[in-house]
Amino acid sequence: MQKIEKFIREIEDFPKNGIHFKDITPLLANPEASKLCLEKLMEMIGSEKIDKVVGIEARGFFFGTLLAQQLDAGFVPIRKPGKLPYKTIAEPYELEYGLDSLEMHEDAIEKGDRVLLHDDVLATGGTARAACKLIESLGGEIVQCNFLIELKFLNGIQKLKNQHVKTLLKY
Ligand code: AMP
């Protein structure tokens, strides 16, 4: 796992004071480390049958699409408001100050679809919880919430109590 970890760059005070940002761009830029990372993420999924991989804007799209290809599943983007062109459903979630919202196309998931949710970082868990609500509101069955990195001290897992959460790297 150190082979992957050394390609995660820590940026202090980005995007604002007090945040230790986990920058995965060095990992994406290195083909060997990216391939290894994809292999390890696939190992976390095991032999589960997955119909759709849902990735959260924007860094959940990178490995999310790669996972979808490997799993022979469709890929579904969850985006910030106003970015998706077709009819959407929305779910609000709390930020440190105020509210934000996530959107998904209303026909992106079929009832009974077995869904893998993927994002780069699990921090406070608010984003992933809102994403789970969107998936479940369309009748998707969430098989696993899959993350590259978990910031354990923020206890985001608490917000995903009813989900199977798997993370490659824990800080
Ligand atoms: P949260 O809702 O607090 O769990 O935040 C998770 C979302 O914010 C993910 O989509 C991450 O990409 C992003 N995020 C939160 N904290 C960080 C961090 N320290 N480094 C990189 N991305 C982060």
Side-chain angles (χ1 to χ4, degrees):
M1 226 54 91
Q2 281 168 340
K3 281 186 193 157
I4 299 171
E5 220 165 325
K6 73 178 184 194
F7 290 99
I8 310 254
R9 179 164 55 190
E10 283 250 10
I11 314 277
E12 295 306 316
D13 299 322
F14 180 86
K16 52 187 176 187
N17 279 348
I19 308 269
H20 309 284
F21 192 85
K22 302 286 186 196
D23 175 20
I24 63 165
T25 61
L27 175 63
L28 297 171
N30 185 287
E32 273 172 31
S34 295
K35 268 184 215 158
L36 180 62
C37 184
L38 183 60
E39 267 173 45
K40 295 287 171 198
L41 290 173
M42 283 296 293
E43 278 173 22
M44 298 196 318
I45 300 159
S47 57
E48 293 282 7
K49 166 87 186 89
I50 304 292
D51 299 306
K52 302 269 168 61
V53 175
V54 173
I56 302 176
E57 178 172 353
R59 290 179 298 279
F61 294 173
F62 301 126
F63 284 102
T65 48
L66 295 172
L67 285 169
Q69 292 263 306
Q70 293 281 315
L71 292 162
D72 206 13
F75 177 78
V76 173
I78 280 187
R79 299 207 63 182
K80 302 282 166 60
K83 302 279 190 186
L84 287 168
Y86 185 59
K87 290 179 207 154
T88 56
I89 55 168
E91 183 65 39
Y93 66 104
E94 274 181 53
L95 294 175
E96 217 175 328
Y97 301 102
L99 277 180
D100 205 346
S101 161
L102 291 177
E103 293 185 355
M104 185 165 74
H105 276 151
E106 66 172 23
D107 62 351
I109 304 280
E110 281 171 49
K111 204 170 183 317
D113 270 353
R114 291 172 58 79
V115 176
L116 179 91
L117 177 69
H118 171 79
D119 203 2
D120 64 335
V121 174
L122 173 64
T124 66
T127 309
R129 183 170 64 180
C132 287
K133 285 187 184 166
L134 286 173
I135 296 162
E136 285 173 345
S137 74
L138 291 181
E141 184 197 324
I142 302 169
V143 176
Q144 185 181 112
C145 297
N146 171 292
F147 302 93
L148 214 52
I149 295 165
E150 179 182 344
L151 305 178
K152 283 199 78 88
F153 61 98
L154 291 173
N155 203 20
I157 207 146
Q158 184 74 12
K159 288 210 176 80
L160 299 175
K161 263 188 206 144
N162 304 322
Q163 306 294 348
H164 295 110
V165 180
K166 292 259 183 165
T167 312
L168 198 55
L169 305 168
K170 295 181 172 57
Y171 291 84

